[in-house]
Amino acid sequence: MPERRTVALVTLGCARNEVDSEELAGRLAADGWDLVEAAAEADVAVVNTCGFVEAAKKDSVDALLEANDLKDHGRTQAVVAVGCMAERYGKELAEALPEADGVLGFDDYADISDRLQTILNGGTHASHTPRDRRKLLPLSPVERQEAAAAVALPGHGAAEGPTELAEAPADLPEGLAPASGPRAPLRRRLDTSPVASVKLASGCDRRCSFCAIPSFRGSFVSRRPSDVLGETRWLAEQGVKEIMLVSENDTSYGKDLGDIRLLETLLPELAAVDGIERVRVSYLQPAEMRPGLIDVLTSTEKVAPYFDLSFQHSAPAVLRSMRRFGDTDRFLELLDTIRGKAPQAGVRSNFIVGFPGETEEDFAELERFLTHARLDAIGVFGYSDEDGTEAATYEAKLDQEVVDGRLAHLSRLAEELTAQRAEERLGETLEVLVESVEGDDLDEDEYAGAGRAEHQAPETDGQVLFTASDGLAVGHMVKAKVVGTEGVDLVAEVLEEAGR
């Protein structure tokens, strides 16, 4: 009998990384590795790193060093870095962090089992040399799908052969559904949450001056709708009740498949999957929002009227410098359109303050937008240079003291505004997916459980806190009335189970 090999995957960063980790887990499990939850119990600890901003990079390095410490007093024999930071820096990261026994890029994912076995046996695998992944595919989106088969696209993997979940989805554009039906997902779940992300696409064609993601994630490539549906059906069989569609830009889905409106067609199909109670779309670009997409997001049963809109700023001069489009009034008009169709719709966004050239008037314009936008969740980041970006070459940099001051000020304002928005929901009846139940034997300041309403995405937004556990079970959808708030969180009483 072959010796038992154990591996733990430690995931940092966004939901896209979580999907990538579960694909790696699927590949490793298929090759006989035992997946364990704790790094201390694994022969190999694989850290899926984030390379988005400096704070995320630091967290990734800290996680690698923490895993390395286990080699002195635990089972762990090797620590391997994968993910965005590993892909972005490759050999540079390996040289700066000798504690990592391997630094693997996306091109290594298909052979992850062999790579880990080599490292576990004491061998070495050369860290890759980073390259601009935008240059790996044709410039024209419609020419990419065939070429994409030869390019590593984390989160797009599928096992050989169709799933047992029968026929291909109906009502898809001609030529997009394979005759053999949807392929089985190459994925292994790493938790038992009733919520799971599904990769809709990879890469990005936008050229925001502050963002390095396209250089290491590559050009935009959509997954075939049959694969997205097949994976959703598979997740439903695993007990998942809500799926969240993720990519660098969901609004571009389908443009390389010949149909920019493909998401509008796909969403009702996903919502009709047996066992799925809610479909959520994330990562939407305001400049690409279409009336038809707004209609589908606000009127389709089981599709959450949730808008994760990447505004970044609202002052026209700053947006142009960012290589983005829009202004305060146009953004407010977009929000009015959404709420005219779905008054309870949830909206969240992120913003960068202290961007090169940002004036006091620009900052005041951003404050004006936030004051009128009534956003449910707001993320605020202070600008910092990112390697290889256009903005890093700009000369009109602000003093760090100014950036820090504006960050602190806008963060306080965001906290006040989101708390006010939560208070506006007092008395509302919500459909809440229960994610945890604590019971009734609680201290005075504890709650009986927690879940997410339609306007709340996991990790990034607030949550609903339940006053009593009656009627609660993880994975159930319940109707609850909002009776209080705690900052951005809502306090609610369960009314009944929300039967479909």
Side-chain angles (χ1 to χ4, degrees):
M1 173 178 275
E3 185 178 353
R4 182 172 179 257
R5 302 174 299 174
T6 57
V7 60
L9 288 119
V10 180
T11 306
L12 294 94
C14 65
R16 290 160 292 185
N17 256 17
E18 294 172 6
V19 176
D20 295 350
S21 285
E22 293 198 346
E23 182 185 292
L24 290 174
R27 292 182 182 278
L28 291 166
D31 203 43
W33 290 77
D34 289 339
L35 303 172
V36 296
E37 184 174 345
E41 300 172 1
D43 297 319
V44 183
V46 177
V47 180
N48 193 347
T49 61
C50 178
F52 180 45
V53 293
E54 286 304 319
K57 296 174 196 173
K58 181 181 183 304
D59 288 343
S60 296
V61 170
D62 288 346
L64 287 164
L65 293 175
E66 183 178 339
N68 182 70
D69 289 342
L70 297 173
K71 291 192 290 187
D72 295 330
H73 50 266
R75 177 183 178 125
T76 308
Q77 301 173 51
V79 175
V80 175
V82 299
C84 290
M85 190 176 179
E87 172 64 34
R88 184 176 181 183
Y89 295 105
K91 291 182 177 179
E92 182 182 344
L93 177 61
E95 292 169 359
L97 197 71
E99 291 85 354
D101 299 287
V103 176
L104 305 181
F106 296 152
D107 293 333
D108 292 306
Y109 282 20
D111 301 306
I112 187 67
S113 179
D114 290 343
R115 301 287 186 265
L116 297 190
Q117 189 63 59
T118 295
I119 293 169
L120 187 60
N121 291 343
T124 59
H125 178 72
S127 302
H128 77 106
T129 300
R131 52 182 173 166
D132 189 339
R133 297 190 73 85
R134 292 171 293 190
K135 299 178 180 179
L136 302 182
L137 291 169
L139 185 63
S140 171
V142 296
E143 297 176 0
R144 287 182 194 156
Q145 282 291 317
E146 184 174 350
V151 175
L153 297 171
H156 288 226
E160 294 297 325
T163 69
E164 297 178 359
L165 293 167
E167 76 276 358
D171 302 327
L172 291 178
E174 185 177 356
L176 293 186
S180 61
R183 298 178 297 168
L186 186 56
R187 181 170 180 173
R188 176 68 67 90
R189 295 215 69 203
L190 293 174
D191 61 39
T192 57
S193 169
V195 182
S197 296
V198 174
K199 189 75 74 77
L200 193 64
S202 288
C204 185
D205 288 341
R206 301 185 71 88
R207 294 296 179 262
C208 301
S209 63
F210 56 84
C211 183
I213 290 175
S215 66
F216 56 86
R217 278 288 183 178
S219 299
F220 186 89
V221 180
S222 303
R223 290 183 74 192
R224 297 182 73 83
S226 53
D227 286 347
V228 177
L229 274 155
E231 186 165 328
T232 298
R233 291 188 173 115
W234 177 82
L235 287 168
E237 284 194 336
Q238 310 302 307
V240 169
K241 300 300 181 182
E242 175 180 326
I243 62 162
M244 185 166 70
L245 300 178
V246 299
S247 74
E248 277 72 26
N249 178 9
D250 282 3
T251 32
S252 282
Y253 180 69
K255 71 176 185 179
D256 53 325
L257 294 171
D259 185 0
I260 190 60
R261 295 177 177 81
L262 190 54
L263 184 56
E264 288 98 297
T265 306
L266 179 60
L267 283 170
E269 293 278 356
L270 294 171
V273 171
D274 287 343
I276 295 298
E277 295 290 339
R278 180 185 291 155
V279 179
R280 187 184 302 277
V281 181
S282 61
Y283 304 110
L284 301 169
Q285 287 291 338
E288 297 181 30
M289 290 301 296
R290 306 174 291 275
L293 180 56
I294 295 174
D295 287 343
V296 170
L297 288 170
T298 55
S299 65
T300 307
E301 184 180 8
K302 295 188 181 182
V303 174
Y306 175 80
F307 294 81
D308 176 11
L309 293 163
S310 177
F311 289 121
Q312 302 300 343
H313 213 284
S314 72
V318 176
L319 286 168
R320 302 303 173 268
S321 187
M322 289 178 168
R323 304 292 185 199
R324 298 176 66 84
F325 306 95
D327 56 50
T328 295
D329 292 334
R330 274 190 276 183
F331 289 163
L332 291 176
E333 287 174 8
L334 173 60
L335 296 178
D336 285 344
T337 299
I338 291 169
R339 290 175 176 138
K341 296 177 180 293
Q344 291 183 319
V347 186
R348 81 165 323 276
S349 192
N350 294 323
F351 300 89
I352 298 173
V353 298
F355 194 78
E358 181 190 62
T359 65
E360 291 184 5
E361 290 76 15
D362 294 329
F363 187 65
E365 184 68 1
L366 177 55
E367 285 188 275
R368 180 171 82 87
F369 171 67
L370 288 178
T371 301
H372 291 87
R374 297 170 55 232
L375 302 180
D376 293 277
I378 300 171
V380 185
F381 299 88
Y383 173 80
S384 62
D385 287 338
E386 280 295 313
D387 298 335
T389 62
E390 180 184 352
T393 69
Y394 290 173
E395 295 181 356
K397 302 286 176 57
L398 278 62
D399 291 340
Q400 190 61 47
E401 184 178 344
V402 174
V403 176
D404 292 343
R406 291 181 182 178
L407 175 62
H409 176 82
L410 206 71
S411 296
R412 289 192 297 270
L413 178 62
E415 188 174 341
E416 294 172 6
L417 292 172
T418 51
Q420 290 173 14
R421 178 67 182 128
E423 290 174 357
E424 290 179 21
R425 294 189 180 275
L426 285 169
E428 284 188 7
T429 297
L430 309 173
E431 288 197 355
V432 184
L433 178 62
V434 181
E435 294 185 337
S436 65
V437 181
E438 304 298 334
D440 287 322
D441 187 17
L442 304 167
D443 295 334
E444 187 175 333
D445 59 345
E446 293 181 317
Y447 289 95
R452 308 277 176 178
E454 287 184 323
H455 69 282
Q456 298 167 319
E459 307 299 331
T460 59
D461 304 337
Q463 59 184 340
V464 175
L465 305 169
F466 296 109
T467 57
S469 62
D470 291 345
L472 296 184
V474 173
H476 283 203
M477 193 77 76
V478 299
K479 289 187 177 180
K481 181 178 180 179
V482 181
V483 297
T485 65
E486 287 196 1
V488 71
D489 295 332
L490 304 178
V491 180
E493 296 177 347
V494 176
L495 300 177
E496 61 182 278
E497 187 165 345
R500 295 290 186 185

